[in-house]
């Protein structure tokens, strides 16, 4: 079916479009016009053109038609190339679904993301912060430290595919390099292909899950030496691997000094084989706070280390914490913000950290112990459900930090005034839900003092943002 759709797309004529603006996903917006080459009966219909920039006149091929709009891909810039247009850094751009904005200068990308956030604030109640924060910037390549790579052996073509899904397709992109992945992975894709090709069970390998931590040279709080292997690879296999295949994987892991895991079934089946008695742990550090975190390769962590360091420091600075204050950290994960907050309030202060996953709560306690900190409490609680009966929720707090999933924290917003906190920092991975929740906070008497964007995912349309609210 997919091949038939592609063949039909190739048969569609290329049309000329004048790009007027960018959508919230970063696609060019145009409309059919009464000009040569445009069907008259479509006049005024909106067209989203991928890889096109405002002001440009482009040739584009429509690949999807809907009742109210159509979708197209830019094939060529005919006139007025945008000053923001640059040559993509990756040879696979446009085919691979991992990046969507490599044709746009990173400075323009961050301006675009700022505009998306501002647009959502305006849409939800006409909000605007009293002060826009300067954007937090990241490296343009070599930044992504977590990835799930698809694997497929194509016997008819005698080829091994390793990569992300193609745009709008279930097919794998045949990558030989990835410029946004940390170079320890992104520059080794061909090496990984050759490794997998040599396995007898190569057709049964379906996925490689990669995670990278920091290289740690010191020791833990209990005096045990930390494993300094900073890269972990989890091999998902659909059938048991023969011993010679396992030995080849081990030899590779030893050569590149990686941790190696096998996953024969679900996530519960993941087990380490390079050092079977060693813990399933990687580590990362936040030097500004002198804290270190242990995490499983399966845990959620921020994919961009440098941006995470800047983000945590900014969040703590915005809260302007004093020694002895009490802070509530909602959706705390493994304590990425909790431990730095605890450093800021000092031994006389307290941080209460709440997370829906009991496994992440256990990791939070582990990390508090790893850093010798005893002014934190972690609680497991589904924050989409009523939590007013919980003892921790009956306490007052000087400040709150919220870092919810993409769905936001609408259920939590209505309860926040009861905590009587004067300052709230909201970290968001979805500007639409941040704007919605900001509207609820405004109705509860909170002013949006500051807000800004953070370039967590350069070359993608993903918008990471942060906002400070203060009680009127």
């Amino acid at each position: 079916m997919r091949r038939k759709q592609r063949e039909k797309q190739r048969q569609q004529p290329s049309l000329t479009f004048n790009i007027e603006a960018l959508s919230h996903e970063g696609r060019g917006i145009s409309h059919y016009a009464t000009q040569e080459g445009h069907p008259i009966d479509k006049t005024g219909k909106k067209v989203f053109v991928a890889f096109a920039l405002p002001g440009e006149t482009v040739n584009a091929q429509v690949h999807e038609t809907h009742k109210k709009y159509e979708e197209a891909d830019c094939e060529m810039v005919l006139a007025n190339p945008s000053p923001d247009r640059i040559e993509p850094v990756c040879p696979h751009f446009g085919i691979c679904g991992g990046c969507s904005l490599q044709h746009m200068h990173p400075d323009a990308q961050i301006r675009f993301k700022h505009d998306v956030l501002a647009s959502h604030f305006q849409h939800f109640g006409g909000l605007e912060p009293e002060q826009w924060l300067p954007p937090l910037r990241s490296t343009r390549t070599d930044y992504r430290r977590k990835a799930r790579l698809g694997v497929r052996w194509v016997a008819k073509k005698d080829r091994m595919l390793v990569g992300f899904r193609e745009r709008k397709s279930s097919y794998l992109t045949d990558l030989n390099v990835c410029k946004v992945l940390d170079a320890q992975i992104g520059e080794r894709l061909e090496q990984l292909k050759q490794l997998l090709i040599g396995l007898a069970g190569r057709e049964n390998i379906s996925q490689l899950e990669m995670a990278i931590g920091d290289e740690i040279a010191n020791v833990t709080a209990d005096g045990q030496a930390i494993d300094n292997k900073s890269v972990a690879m989890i091999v998902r296999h659909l059938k048991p691997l023969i011993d010679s295949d396992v030995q080849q994987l081990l030899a590779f892991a030893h050569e590149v000094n990686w941790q190696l895991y096998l996953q024969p079934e679900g996530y519960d089946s993941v087990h380490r084989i390079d050092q079977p008695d060693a813990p399933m742990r990687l580590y990362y550090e936040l030097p500004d706070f002198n804290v270190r975190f242990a995490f499983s390769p399966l845990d959620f962590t921020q994919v961009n280390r440098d941006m995470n360091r800047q983000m945590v420091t900014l969040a703590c600075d915005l809260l302007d914490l004093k020694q002895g204050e009490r802070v509530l950290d909602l959706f705390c994960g493994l304590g990425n913000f909790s431990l730095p907050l605890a450093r800021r309030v000092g031994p006389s202060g307290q941080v209460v950290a709440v997370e829906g996953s009991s496994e992440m709560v256990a990791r939070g306690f582990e990390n508090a112990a790893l850093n010798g900190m005893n002014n934190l409490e972690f609680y497991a609680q589904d924050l989409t459900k009523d939590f007013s009966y919980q003892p921790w929720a009956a306490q007052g707090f000087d400040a709150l930090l919220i870092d919810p999933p993409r769905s936001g924290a609408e259920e939590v917003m209505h309860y926040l005034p009861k905590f009587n906190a004067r300052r709230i920092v909201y970290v968001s991975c979805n500007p639409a839900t941040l704007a919605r929740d900001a509207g609820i906070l405004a109705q509860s008497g909170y002013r949006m003092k500051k807000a800004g964007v953070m370039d967590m995912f350069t070359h993608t349309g993903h918008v990471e943002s942060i906002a400070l609210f203060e009680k009127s």
Side-chain angles (χ1 to χ4, degrees):
M1 179 63 70
R2 178 65 64 175
R3 289 190 181 91
K4 290 181 179 179
Q5 290 174 345
R6 287 183 172 181
E7 184 61 33
K8 183 178 179 181
Q9 177 182 339
R10 282 194 290 267
Q11 295 171 358
Q12 296 293 321
S14 292
L15 301 174
T16 300
F17 295 99
N18 296 315
I19 307 303
E20 305 152 18
L22 287 178
S23 71
H24 284 171
E25 301 81 32
R27 295 181 295 176
I29 298 175
S30 185
H31 293 81
Y32 279 104
T34 53
Q35 63 186 67
E36 185 178 352
H38 283 186
I40 300 301
D41 61 345
K42 291 186 179 182
T43 299
K45 189 176 184 181
K46 183 177 288 187
V47 185
F48 294 101
V49 185
F51 317 127
L53 297 174
E56 295 180 336
T57 300
V58 303
N59 242 18
Q61 188 174 65
V62 174
H63 57 78
E64 285 195 35
T65 299
H66 306 272
K67 184 176 181 180
K68 294 185 177 181
Y69 66 94
E70 295 186 0
E71 299 179 63
D73 288 346
C74 173
E75 296 182 324
M76 180 185 301
V77 178
L78 299 177
N80 307 316
S82 169
D84 294 327
R85 179 172 290 279
I86 61 171
E87 190 69 22
V89 296
C90 179
H92 305 290
F93 178 68
I95 301 172
C96 175
C99 294
S100 59
L101 299 179
Q102 284 191 18
H103 62 295
M104 186 189 302
H105 193 283
D107 291 344
Q109 291 182 35
I110 204 69
R111 291 196 303 269
F112 156 70
K113 293 177 183 184
H114 169 91
D115 291 345
V116 169
L117 179 61
S119 172
H120 280 295
F121 280 146
Q122 281 296 317
H123 179 72
F124 287 92
L127 298 175
E128 185 174 2
E130 295 179 15
Q131 176 187 342
W132 283 106
L133 296 167
L136 295 187
R137 303 298 301 271
S138 131
T139 56
R140 301 173 181 180
T141 57
D142 186 28
Y143 69 81
R144 190 178 180 98
R145 293 189 134 208
K146 294 203 76 174
R148 187 175 299 158
L149 297 167
V151 176
R152 187 186 175 200
W153 169 246
V154 184
K156 291 182 178 180
K157 297 184 178 180
D158 197 35
R159 291 173 61 195
M160 176 64 72
L161 306 182
V162 175
F164 300 111
R165 301 294 172 188
E166 293 182 0
R167 292 180 57 246
K168 300 181 178 297
S169 168
S170 60
Y171 288 105
L172 284 181
T173 309
D174 185 13
L175 300 182
N176 53 37
V177 67
C178 178
K179 293 298 184 179
V180 298
L181 282 178
D182 186 291
Q184 295 176 87
I185 305 170
E187 299 293 337
R188 280 200 168 104
L189 297 184
E190 282 296 327
Q191 194 176 356
L192 285 171
K193 287 183 190 179
Q194 293 307 310
L195 167 69
L196 298 174
I197 286 173
L199 303 181
R202 58 196 174 192
E203 71 276 8
N204 296 316
I205 307 294
S206 63
Q207 180 178 288
L208 300 177
E209 190 149 353
M210 316 296 298
I212 299 178
D214 296 339
E215 291 188 7
I216 304 295
N218 300 326
V219 296
T220 63
D222 59 5
Q224 297 296 314
I226 288 179
D227 182 355
N228 66 356
K229 296 179 180 179
S230 60
V231 182
M233 179 171 71
I234 302 171
V235 180
R236 175 76 173 101
H237 52 101
L238 305 178
K239 293 182 180 180
L241 299 176
I242 62 174
D243 186 64
S244 61
D245 283 354
V246 174
Q247 293 306 313
Q248 286 189 64
L249 291 170
L250 283 169
F252 172 82
H254 178 74
E255 177 187 348
V256 296
N257 200 33
W258 288 3
Q259 296 181 15
L260 179 64
Y261 299 78
L262 295 183
Q263 182 188 349
E265 296 179 359
Y267 276 145
D268 290 344
S269 71
V270 174
H271 59 284
R272 186 171 176 178
I273 65 169
D274 64 305
Q275 292 178 268
D277 296 329
M280 290 177 51
R281 292 292 183 272
L282 295 165
Y283 299 87
Y284 73 90
E285 295 180 312
L286 296 177
D288 286 355
F289 302 92
N290 190 29
V291 291
R292 175 179 300 155
F293 296 86
F295 67 99
S296 160
L298 298 173
D299 290 344
F300 170 81
T301 55
Q302 295 292 351
V303 303
N304 189 325
R305 181 191 67 176
D306 295 338
M307 182 52 54
N308 184 55
R309 289 178 174 181
Q310 294 183 59
M311 176 179 70
V312 173
T313 298
L314 175 60
C316 291
D317 288 346
L318 290 174
L319 283 176
D320 190 26
L321 298 172
K322 307 295 189 297
Q323 294 283 307
E325 287 192 316
R326 288 173 46 78
V327 186
L328 177 62
D329 180 11
L330 298 178
F331 306 95
C332 67
L334 50 68
N336 185 54
F337 289 101
S338 314
L339 273 65
L341 292 170
R343 286 281 197 237
R344 286 287 176 96
V345 299
S348 60
Q350 186 181 40
V351 172
V352 173
V354 186
E355 165 63 38
S357 166
S358 57
E359 187 174 352
M360 287 296 94
V361 166
R363 197 83 72 245
F365 277 117
E366 176 186 342
N367 284 318
L370 179 66
N371 290 275
M373 304 174 71
N374 55 18
N375 60 340
L376 296 98
E377 296 177 1
F378 288 88
Y379 296 93
Q381 170 66 43
D382 183 351
L383 291 169
T384 65
K385 304 289 192 339
D386 177 33
F387 53 81
S388 58
Y389 62 93
Q390 294 288 1
W392 61 263
Q395 306 170 28
F397 296 93
D398 298 293
L400 270 65
L401 187 138
I402 309 170
D403 183 17
R406 287 191 59 80
S407 56
E410 185 174 13
E411 297 85 358
V412 173
M413 289 297 105
H414 300 287
Y415 195 88
L416 291 189
K418 298 180 181 179
F419 293 128
N420 203 33
R422 297 205 60 82
R423 306 180 302 280
I424 297 174
V425 162
Y426 191 128
V427 178
S428 170
C429 59
N430 184 344
T433 52
L434 167 59
R436 177 201 66 200
D437 294 346
I440 300 173
L441 284 174
Q443 295 172 6
S444 300
Y446 283 92
R447 293 176 297 149
M448 184 163 56
K449 299 289 289 184
K450 301 178 181 180
V453 294
M454 304 177 288
D455 201 14
M456 185 71 75
F457 297 90
T458 310
H459 302 310
T460 78
H462 182 100
V463 180
E464 195 90 5
S465 54
I466 189 168
L468 168 67
F469 300 86
E470 289 186 359
K471 190 76 170 178
S472 298

